[in-house]
Amino acid sequence: MNVVLASALPIFSVALVFHFIPVTDTNLILGILFTASFVGMSAANFTLFEIVLGGGISTVLFLNIPPLYQGLGGGMGTSAFIAVLLTFGLRKLYEKTLKKAK
């Protein structure tokens, strides 16, 4: 399955559930899910753990620092971009620590 389809299926599934089951803040939930899916699409070489970590980072960024997004484009894409950079940096840092430990 390619990354775009892998991103679209969960969003479509959740949106379909929200169509039939009323939830109060669907826009926020779908926004968070959509932002996290950007991380998944951007990270084809990440492990599942790294994708989940990146999705979590993007969610925290999306919810907590919206004023910083002014002038940087969309908050979703910016959150995902920063999350992918942080996740990649954490992976490299972890790999370097493993090499030093050997």
Side-chain angles (χ1 to χ4, degrees):
M1 183 179 321
N2 66 27
V3 292
V4 175
L5 184 59
S7 165
L9 280 177
I11 294 171
F12 178 73
S13 302
V14 171
L16 193 61
V17 168
F18 286 166
H19 181 70
F20 294 107
I21 300 172
V23 179
T24 54
D25 205 358
T26 58
N27 287 340
L28 179 64
I29 295 168
L30 288 174
I32 291 169
L33 186 60
F34 194 56
T35 302
S37 79
F38 287 168
V39 174
M41 286 190 292
S42 304
N45 294 328
F46 280 2
T47 65
L48 180 61
F49 174 76
E50 292 166 340
I51 291 173
V52 170
L53 177 65
I57 292 171
S58 71
T59 300
V60 169
L61 292 172
F62 180 72
L63 291 176
N64 292 305
I65 56 172
L68 296 178
Y69 297 137
Q70 293 176 351
L72 293 175
M76 291 179 182
T78 305
S79 295
F81 176 71
I82 294 170
V84 168
L85 286 179
L86 284 173
T87 305
F88 184 74
L90 289 171
R91 181 207 308 184
K92 289 298 179 188
L93 184 64
Y94 179 72
E95 288 171 354
K96 282 186 179 184
T97 10
L98 281 182
K99 285 181 183 177
K100 283 185 180 180
K102 288 182 181 181

